[in-house]
Amino acid sequence: MEEQEATIRNPPSASDEAGPPDASSIWARMAWTHLDAVRKRAPLVQCITNLVSMDIAANVLLASGASPAMIHSINEIQDFTPKADALYINIGTLSAEWVPAMQAAAKAALEANRPWVLDPVAVSASSYRMEACLELVKLRPTVIRGNASEILALSSACRISGAKGVDSAHESIDALDAAKSLAKSSNAVVAVSGAVDFITDGDHVISCSNGVSLMQKITATGCAVTALIAAFVAIDPWNPLKATASALAVFGLAGELGMEMASGPASLRMHMVDWLYRLTESTVATRVRLSERS
């Protein structure tokens, strides 16, 4: 365990090999290091997620090597949450019963020094949803991941006029400044999903260009990748910025490879999950597209 944690904290750099350092290969090997660690450690991820995403989130976690637990009842929080390696909270299908459970789980994760990840789904859809999200942000999530419209709204604590439920009316680059601001105010890593994903801790920004547009036609892919982020952060809580970037890249790469075999959204979902299970070091090393913005 100690050797594995040391490897995750200090993955091998390109300078360890013959030839000049190559930034892209360093990022790609980092992504593989994280995926490999998830497969070896099988982190337990508690998911308080929406009814639409439960199936795909659980299957994405299993295919990556993690262990999902769909525990929602407030009556189980104190017994279960401290035992989990990470907590994932998704507000997609809010209810009066789930909000207190979400808050209790976030508090329990903090007390147990466990990372937790928030997905503010359709935060602009109602005042109730916005208020619930803002209360959860006060409980110091390790990572917040959303689309551009969600991050813009959450950063400003103001609903966006004309927001279309879970659909984003903005490009990810439009929310980059908002993501930086939210990261600094919440002390969380913030990830903005889009054609290009941006991940920031308020000072540093990593971009991820893996993925295909048809993934947007599969319901709850965003929810599923947030669950995967929780698994990656579980095995590298010291570097949530890099762990989040790795998870987004690995998920997007699985989508790219799945697209090569798919004929539509349904078959893409199947092949994407298969590729999460099948990914090899050589494939990740040559096809992950991560870079740090200046």
Side-chain angles (χ1 to χ4, degrees):
M1 180 70 74
E2 291 181 358
E3 290 182 5
Q4 188 173 26
E5 290 183 356
T7 301
I8 295 171
R9 294 192 198 204
N10 300 292
S13 67
S15 60
D16 296 329
E17 299 179 350
D22 178 75
S24 62
S25 69
I26 293 173
W27 286 110
R29 283 190 294 170
M30 177 193 73
W32 169 255
T33 298
H34 283 126
L35 177 59
D36 187 49
V38 169
R39 289 174 172 176
K40 289 175 178 175
R41 282 187 50 189
L44 177 62
V45 180
Q46 180 185 356
C47 303
I48 304 181
T49 189
N50 68 71
L51 297 170
V52 178
S53 73
M54 286 186 188
D55 174 76
I56 189 170
N59 279 290
V60 161
L61 286 171
L62 284 169
S64 71
S67 178
M70 319 315 265
I71 301 290
H72 293 77
S73 172
I74 195 170
N75 297 318
E76 294 188 277
I77 297 301
Q78 291 304 317
D79 287 335
F80 189 86
T81 303
K83 299 176 184 176
D85 295 299
L87 169 68
Y88 162 44
I89 293 178
N90 178 303
I91 69 161
T93 50
L94 277 183
S95 72
E97 293 78 20
W98 281 16
V99 171
M102 291 174 176
Q103 294 172 342
K107 291 176 183 177
L110 282 176
E111 291 171 359
N113 198 29
R114 300 289 190 269
W116 77 274
V117 180
L118 174 64
D119 194 329
V121 178
V123 66
S124 282
S126 68
S127 297
Y128 176 67
R129 188 172 292 265
M130 174 63 78
E131 290 167 6
C133 247
L134 291 175
E135 289 302 310
L136 287 168
V137 170
K138 291 178 183 178
L139 296 172
R140 305 200 305 274
T142 309
V143 180
I144 301 169
R145 189 223 61 93
N147 64 37
S149 293
E150 291 163 350
I151 297 303
L152 283 163
L154 191 57
S155 177
S156 64
C158 182
R159 295 167 61 196
I160 295 175
S161 177
K164 295 173 59 182
V166 299
D167 297 330
S168 180
H170 303 84
E171 299 298 326
S172 55
I173 190 66
D174 299 333
L176 183 52
D177 287 341
K180 291 179 181 179
S181 176
L182 179 59
K184 289 183 176 180
S185 65
S186 65
N187 200 32
V189 167
V190 177
V192 189
S193 293
V196 176
D197 301 324
F198 295 104
I199 310 98
T200 182
D201 59 5
D203 296 314
H204 305 90
V205 178
I206 301 172
S207 64
C208 173
S209 301
N210 288 105
V212 292
S213 60
L214 193 63
M215 295 170 76
Q216 299 175 20
K217 299 298 182 182
I218 306 170
T219 189
T221 50
C223 305
V225 76
T226 314
L228 189 64
I229 288 169
F232 276 50
V233 173
I235 55 88
D236 191 4
W238 318 277
N239 295 300
L241 179 72
K242 294 179 179 179
T244 300
S246 291
L248 286 163
V250 165
F251 189 79
L253 175 56
E256 291 174 8
L257 294 165
M259 191 67 217
E260 295 174 5
M261 308 170 70
S263 56
S267 55
L268 174 57
R269 170 182 158 135
M270 177 185 69
H271 291 303
M272 178 180 68
V273 174
D274 281 348
W275 270 108
L276 273 173
Y277 179 77
R278 295 174 56 192
L279 281 174
T280 64
E281 181 175 4
S282 61
T283 303
V284 172
T286 55
R287 295 194 56 165
V288 157
R289 297 193 299 277
L290 289 169
S291 61
E292 186 165 8
R293 289 170 61 94
S294 56

